[in-house]
Amino acid sequence: MSTDIPLPDHRPRLVATDLDGTIVRSDGKISPRTVAALDLIERAGCMLVFVTGRPPRWMPSVAEATGHHGLAICANGAILYDLRTERVVEQQVLDPARIRQVVEAMRREMPDIVFACEYGKELWHEADYPVFQDAGQPGVRTATLAELCAQPAAKLLARHRFLDSETFMRQARAVAGAYAEFTYTGYDGLLEISASGVSKASGLARFCVRHGIDAADVIAVGDMPNDLPMLAWAGTGYAVANAHPDVLAAVDRHLPSNDEDGVAQLLERLFNV
């Protein structure tokens, strides 16, 4: 166990952790050590919240692996999801008018893009949008662009055929940043677009207000640029060693990597195991 992990000044009331690249290892699994460490949080009387870019339909495996504990803030802050009942509790959505503004502005300047929309547990996508592991799954269907723009969505997805995600985001913000929030969680030309003001930080802050928890009493851990607002908002933020360079530069406290169970090492020290 690492002994040089910097600990916060006091025990938190809430631990918020990202999933993929943070507690989910490179093999796509959450290790038994991390599952046991997550259990320490609630045993100590603290709250555990997963804060993720994942949509709800990707959460059953997490609920199964972690024993259906607690709540998750999904879709980069747009959806509150109950892991015990596996249902959507609330959503902060992009309204159709905003979706149309974003889509029209982006496609006018960047024609080599395709779109999809997340609606709770459903994904609707243009015919050329690659759905990968979602292919053939319930709630996943092809739609026209007009259909995508016709109803509120938790998240608009845009994928560029040729640009990496960081370059794509810079260009997209330049033409449509006034209409929505833009972020990314990988390097494959995918942007995740939420309603203005919606982020992992806003979703977590809204949750904490309801439970009377101050930011100073929150620990947050992440690895990608979509985690930066949350890591800045929390009283104590940590980046895992495998994090994006921008995250490592912005966050002073670092943990061992996801494949080294860095979050588990922090929790074991924090809760005196």
Side-chain angles (χ1 to χ4, degrees):
M1 180 187 300
S2 175
T3 58
D4 58 357
I5 293 174
L7 296 181
D9 296 333
H10 60 277
R11 273 196 178 187
R13 294 182 60 194
L14 185 147
V15 175
T17 181
D18 173 54
L19 292 173
D20 299 291
T22 300
I23 64 169
V24 177
R25 297 165 67 104
S26 298
D27 63 4
K29 298 179 181 179
I30 302 175
S31 73
R33 179 180 183 180
T34 294
V35 171
L38 293 172
D39 192 50
L40 297 173
I41 298 170
E42 292 184 344
R43 287 189 185 184
C46 300
M47 297 188 75
L48 167 63
V49 179
F50 299 116
V51 189
T52 177
R54 287 191 184 201
R57 69 180 177 282
W58 290 3
M59 294 304 292
S61 62
V62 176
E64 180 74 20
T66 58
H68 295 265
H69 288 304
L71 292 159
I73 296 169
C74 296
N76 293 324
I79 296 175
L80 181 62
Y81 185 73
D82 191 327
L83 291 168
R84 296 179 180 88
T85 62
E86 296 190 31
R87 67 182 184 89
V88 174
V89 177
E90 68 175 26
Q91 300 188 67
Q92 304 292 315
V93 296
L94 268 165
D95 66 60
R98 285 299 193 200
I99 296 172
R100 284 193 295 273
Q101 285 178 308
V102 172
V103 165
E104 289 170 2
M106 291 179 66
R107 183 153 280 171
R108 183 169 56 247
E109 298 296 328
M110 295 172 286
D112 294 311
I113 53 178
V114 284
F115 292 100
C117 281
E118 299 277 7
Y119 310 110
K121 291 187 175 182
E122 296 187 355
L123 173 73
W124 293 15
H125 60 90
E126 289 190 282
D128 291 338
Y129 185 94
V131 293
F132 301 120
Q133 70 264 36
D134 281 320
Q137 296 300 310
V140 178
R141 55 157 286 194
T142 302
T144 66
L145 191 58
E147 289 174 320
L148 295 181
C149 297
Q151 60 178 311
K155 187 163 62 173
L156 173 66
L157 302 173
R159 188 178 290 276
H160 200 288
R161 293 180 175 89
F162 309 113
L163 297 179
D164 64 88
S165 298
E166 186 173 358
T167 304
F168 186 20
M169 186 172 72
R170 286 199 303 269
Q171 295 187 13
R173 281 179 170 171
V175 300
Y179 307 133
E181 299 289 341
F182 290 76
T183 192
Y184 65 96
T185 58
Y187 302 92
D188 55 353
L190 176 66
L191 294 189
E192 303 177 26
I193 306 163
S194 304
S196 294
V198 172
S199 67
K200 286 191 174 187
S202 72
L204 182 58
R206 187 167 58 249
F207 180 87
C208 288
V209 166
R210 288 181 180 172
H211 293 272
I213 298 173
D214 294 332
D217 294 319
V218 176
I219 283 178
V221 193
D223 75 307
M224 287 298 289
N226 65 326
D227 294 312
L228 283 171
M230 173 179 73
L231 298 176
W233 178 85
T236 307
Y238 291 89
V240 285
N242 55 288
H244 187 284
D246 289 350
V247 178
L248 292 171
V251 179
D252 292 334
R253 296 170 182 258
H254 297 170
L255 300 175
S257 73
N258 60 330
D259 287 335
E260 298 173 284
D261 294 321
V263 175
Q265 293 187 45
L266 169 64
L267 297 175
E268 289 163 357
R269 286 205 63 206
L270 187 61
F271 296 110
N272 302 316
V273 172

